[in-house]
Amino acid sequence: MLNLKNEALFATKSYIDGEWVGADNGATFDVVNPANGETVASIADLGRAEVARAIDAADAAQANWAAKLASERSAIMMKWYALIMEAQEDLAQIITAEMGKPIKEARGEVAYGASFIQWFAEEGKRIYGDTIPQHQPDKRIVVIKQPIGVVGSITPWNFPLAMITRKLAPGLAAGCTCVARPAELTPMTALALAELAEKAGFPKGVFNVVSGSNSSEMGKELCENDKVRKITFTGSTRVGRILMEQCSGTIKKMSLELGGNAPFLVFDDADLDAAVEGCIISKFRNAGQTCVCANRIYVQAGVYDAFAEKLAAKVAEFKVGNGFDESTDIGPLISKAGKEKVQDHLDDAKAKGATIIQGGTDSDVGELFFTPTVVTGVTSDMKVTQEETFGPVAPLFKFETEEEGVAAANDTIFGLAAYYYTRDIGRSWRVGEALEYGIVGLNTGLISTEVAPFGGVKQSGLGREGSKYGIEEYLEIKYLCMGGI
Ligand code: ADP
């Protein structure tokens, strides 16, 4: 089915301490292509004991990796980056096979994911300390930054490659070793990354990938093992809470990138065509399955009907299909449960009085496909207001005043990404400052880049990924007080 140039990238075993290993009991689990239900491969199904061994390997490799010059670590990471970009097409195929996204988006994910490796390979050379004017004549005060130690990552299925590199590239650059536990739905991309990491020359034990279907057992080991000094997680707020509790016993440092419920505001003075374009990108990328996808679209009364009409016309042009088809815009949803949630949100909106102006019918492409849909007349009592839909349904709310729009946008426990469209300079500042979100897009629907800090406030998480801030998450500050001078 896959036509890989480098067949070694089709890896089905886990990668621990520089070795490809199966489960102790020989167990495997199947990875299934959501577009057609076909099994892509059977993958090593590791349990808690094997995760503990991967942690031991990372722990054993930690001191030597931290002792390398930043430029030495950087050289290995740059090689990894180059190998990933060389394998862009193969990796994109693996992503599409196990996750379903359109192949053109998968290629984009490879480049986006690789960019974090390149960025942090550079950034790792700039981990500066500080000197502080002494408080006593015979003392000197120096501040140094050191790698935190072994990092455990737990990542979701929606960006099988980029979630791992966005989390672990800064850690590796800082001098941390790591154990990556990819989502059970998409482990193959992570294993392919391990194959390329080996070729790039990472010493054994520095980068480990453990595949397995029992997320809670594997997660417990990562959270409760004292050798792991940090957990970095992307996924739901529900699981984020569980991991926080599990990490409390060993007081681990944590980065959490959790659920979003992104508002997308269109003001009367917006450039409507630009707003429609931004909404399409933000709402429908990855079939609506990203944590920064617009979930609630608030349109000011003066442009509501015009915006709805333009958006519906664009959505009608989408081609739904198998991700391997170059012309596909919208692939399948990841799972039956995922599709049922989208349908439930739509049914709930309909039952409470919303109107479907585009789509809304079941897709005839396959079981997990969902026809891109636009709904008007959506109100705050509908499910879509409080929860992420994670699917290709665009619900349009109407608002009258700026205050009302901003208040509605902020009326959620989440605070990851928000978007707004206005050409008014005063409003640009006011609304930008008032939105309670970690990432705010003004007149753009596309905000992800390795050079800027990504992360949320409120119950959307802790910490930032990417940018000069991202590496701080993997460093401890040490204050050296020198006396007797
Ligand atoms: P999503 O809705 O994106 O799947 P989840 O939070 O359910 O979000 O899953 C994100 C990642 O967390 C996945 O890799 C999943 O396997 C893993 N996961 C789910 N439950 C747990 C748990 N109890 N402990 C550790 N990891 C978990």
Side-chain angles (χ1 to χ4, degrees), residues 154-158 181-185 215-220 233-240 242-243 246 390:
I154 299 175
T155 46
W157 47 265
N158 61 348
R181 191 271 167 188
E184 62 275 24
L185 295 171
S215 59
S216 63
E217 280 303 297
M218 299 175 88
K220 266 191 204 133
F233 170 72
T234 293
S236 61
T237 297
R238 181 186 69 81
V239 174
I242 294 173
L243 300 183
Q246 289 176 353
F390 241 57

Side-chain angles (χ1 to χ4, degrees), residues 86-223:
E86 227 171 79
Q88 183 174 20
E89 198 56 39
D90 281 356
L91 291 166
Q93 279 198 41
I94 295 170
I95 292 172
T96 296
E98 65 177 355
M99 192 267 143
K101 70 175 61 177
I103 190 80
K104 54 195 178 192
E105 286 191 31
R107 290 183 194 117
E109 180 183 343
V110 176
Y112 171 67
S115 73
F116 286 89
I117 298 173
Q118 185 188 41
W119 170 269
F120 284 109
E122 291 296 338
E123 211 53 22
K125 296 186 244 170
R126 304 188 185 103
I127 298 171
Y128 300 123
D130 214 351
T131 56
I132 295 176
Q134 59 270 25
H135 62 306
Q136 287 168 353
D138 66 338
K139 291 217 168 113
R140 298 293 180 270
I141 296 174
V142 176
V143 175
I144 62 170
K145 292 184 181 173
Q146 294 176 303
I148 186 160
V150 176
V151 174
S153 74
I154 299 175
T155 46
W157 47 265
N158 61 348
F159 288 88
L161 188 144
M163 287 303 107
I164 293 175
T165 56
R166 199 164 84 183
K167 292 179 171 302
L168 296 181
L172 290 165
C176 300
T177 57
C178 51
V179 177
R181 191 271 167 188
E184 62 275 24
L185 295 171
T186 59
M188 297 185 71
T189 309
L191 297 171
L193 278 180
E195 164 67 22
L196 295 174
E198 181 173 84
K199 293 285 171 305
F202 282 96
K204 68 191 188 83
V206 170
F207 181 72
N208 306 276
V209 178
V210 288
S211 54
S213 60
N214 192 336
S215 59
S216 63
E217 280 303 297
M218 299 175 88
K220 266 191 204 133
E221 188 59 39
L222 287 168
C223 291

